[in-house]
Amino acid sequence: MEIQKKKKGFSAIALVIIVAVILLILIVPTYNNLATSREEVNKSYAQVENVVQRRADLIPNLVNTVKGYTDHESETLEAVTTARAGVTNAQSPEELAEANEAVTRAIGDINVVVEAYPELKADTQFISLMDELSGSENRISVERKNYNEAVQAYNTKLVRFPTNLIGMVTGFDQAEYFRAQPGAEVAPTVDFNN
């Protein structure tokens, strides 16, 4: 009798160990895959922040160049500086998108000011800064696309079975897409030929 009880106890322990090992074999790779995907999202978002900040870093030079030619455009220049600060303070993709849009509007306002100052339009430093800003816009667009692709891959993993269960238990949440602000589909008009 005692031998049979020991065998049953040993069998129960062995069964628990086997189930635990099987669960670990299934859970660990899935967890690691989710962790890797989440880090890809974080890396992609950091790159979006990097290129948006690069553009924001050009703004003080642009403001100083415009200041050198204008005396009474302080409101526009203050708006540009305030918009730049929004980029630095953004804490989420939504806030960064809003701040980026504010910078785009502010730069558009500078372009309106520039129209009244033909000598500013011809200034090589101003032209160079505007080219840099244009290049930055292209970089931002590419990095937002890369970020959204990383978010899509990660979020897709989180909704698939059984990964969704493992993700829920281990605290993985869906990532937020980088969305453009309403009206962002209308590109600002920049015309240096007037």
Side-chain angles (χ1 to χ4, degrees):
M1 246 343 168
E2 250 180 73
I3 295 175
Q4 284 183 342
K5 284 183 181 179
K6 285 183 180 180
K7 279 185 177 180
K8 284 183 182 180
F10 179 72
S11 295
I13 291 172
L15 182 61
V16 169
I17 290 172
I18 291 170
V19 169
V21 167
I22 290 172
L23 284 174
L24 282 174
I25 289 172
L26 295 174
I27 291 173
V28 169
T30 302
Y31 178 87
N32 289 339
N33 193 334
L34 283 173
T36 300
S37 292
R38 182 174 55 193
E39 284 307 306
E40 183 64 29
V41 168
N42 292 340
K43 179 189 84 166
S44 295
Y45 183 67
Q47 190 56 26
V48 170
E49 288 179 313
N50 181 37
V51 294
V52 169
Q53 187 63 49
R54 179 188 181 279
R55 181 175 95 159
D57 290 345
L58 293 171
I59 290 175
N61 293 331
L62 181 65
V63 167
N64 288 332
T65 302
V66 173
K67 267 186 192 175
Y69 285 92
T70 65
D71 294 326
H72 57 281
E73 303 294 344
S74 61
E75 186 177 307
T76 300
L77 299 178
E78 286 174 19
V80 171
T81 304
T82 301
R84 179 186 182 272
V87 167
T88 304
N89 298 329
Q91 298 295 316
S92 69
E94 184 178 348
E95 289 178 8
L96 188 59
E98 289 174 13
N100 187 52
E101 183 59 31
V103 168
T104 299
R105 282 192 306 273
I107 290 171
D109 292 344
I110 281 184
N111 286 323
V112 171
V113 168
V114 168
E115 293 302 316
Y117 298 91
E119 64 279 2
L120 177 58
K121 286 194 303 187
D123 182 88
T124 55
Q125 183 177 3
F126 176 78
I127 292 169
S128 174
L129 286 168
M130 293 307 287
D131 286 344
E132 284 289 322
L133 288 168
S134 177
S136 293
E137 284 295 325
N138 292 335
R139 288 183 182 109
I140 290 168
S141 177
V142 167
E143 296 305 334
R144 283 190 311 212
K145 176 186 162 290
N146 292 342
Y147 170 77
N148 281 342
E149 286 174 353
V151 168
Q152 179 189 19
Y154 171 71
N155 286 349
T156 299
K157 288 176 185 176
L158 278 178
V159 296
R160 289 186 173 164
F161 182 81
T163 306
N164 61 342
L165 299 175
I166 295 166
M168 186 173 35
V169 169
T170 56
F172 285 91
D173 296 320
Q174 287 203 352
E176 183 181 336
Y177 283 98
F178 193 104
R179 299 186 194 281
Q181 296 301 305
E185 69 278 359
V186 179
T189 304
V190 178
D191 184 6
F192 295 116
N193 296 323
N194 285 340

